[in-house]
Amino acid sequence: DYIKGNDVLSVCPEVMGGLPVPRESAEIVNGIVSHKDGTSVDKEFRKGAKKALETVKEQKVDLVILQSRSPSCGVNSIYDGSFSGRIIPGQGIFADLLRRNGIKAIDVENL
């Protein structure tokens, strides 16, 4: 069990970027995070990812466990941007930012 005996910090980059809960689904379409109708939420996703990264660094987090296939948190795969449920290899905005900063992240499904 990963969390037993460890401090747990819960963050949601999408909420940290100003998006509501619940929120409309979004996918990465041609490098931009958007809703199915084409409305961009890329700014919010990137702002939230940066804020979440700052929190992870400040708290000296050893391991980040992320939600599967999310446009923020997908570690190994994400939805393909067609809103058809098709999965492709790739990383979400926050997962990629963690990787580029040398912070270990795993998919919750790999626990």
Side-chain angles (χ1 to χ4, degrees), residues 43-61:
K43 184 176 113 191
E44 293 85 350
F45 270 71
R46 292 182 191 281
K47 175 182 164 189
K50 285 179 187 161
K51 283 184 172 184
L53 176 65
E54 289 170 14
T55 300
V56 165
K57 285 180 168 182
E58 286 167 6
Q59 297 296 318
K60 297 178 176 50
V61 172

Side-chain angles (χ1 to χ4, degrees), residues 30-82:
N30 298 321
I32 306 292
V33 186
S34 305
H35 293 305
K36 190 173 186 173
D37 70 2
T39 305
S40 174
V41 284
D42 196 73
K43 184 176 113 191
E44 293 85 350
F45 270 71
R46 292 182 191 281
K47 175 182 164 189
K50 285 179 187 161
K51 283 184 172 184
L53 176 65
E54 289 170 14
T55 300
V56 165
K57 285 180 168 182
E58 286 167 6
Q59 297 296 318
K60 297 178 176 50
V61 172
D62 298 318
L63 173 67
V64 181
I65 302 169
L66 299 173
Q67 183 59 47
S68 310
R69 299 175 296 281
S70 156
S72 282
C73 299
V75 176
N76 304 310
S77 59
I78 55 173
Y79 291 104
D80 72 352
S82 68

Side-chain angles (χ1 to χ4, degrees), residues 22-35:
R23 64 190 150 270
E24 189 179 333
S25 64
E27 295 185 13
I28 300 172
V29 182
N30 298 321
I32 306 292
V33 186
S34 305
H35 293 305

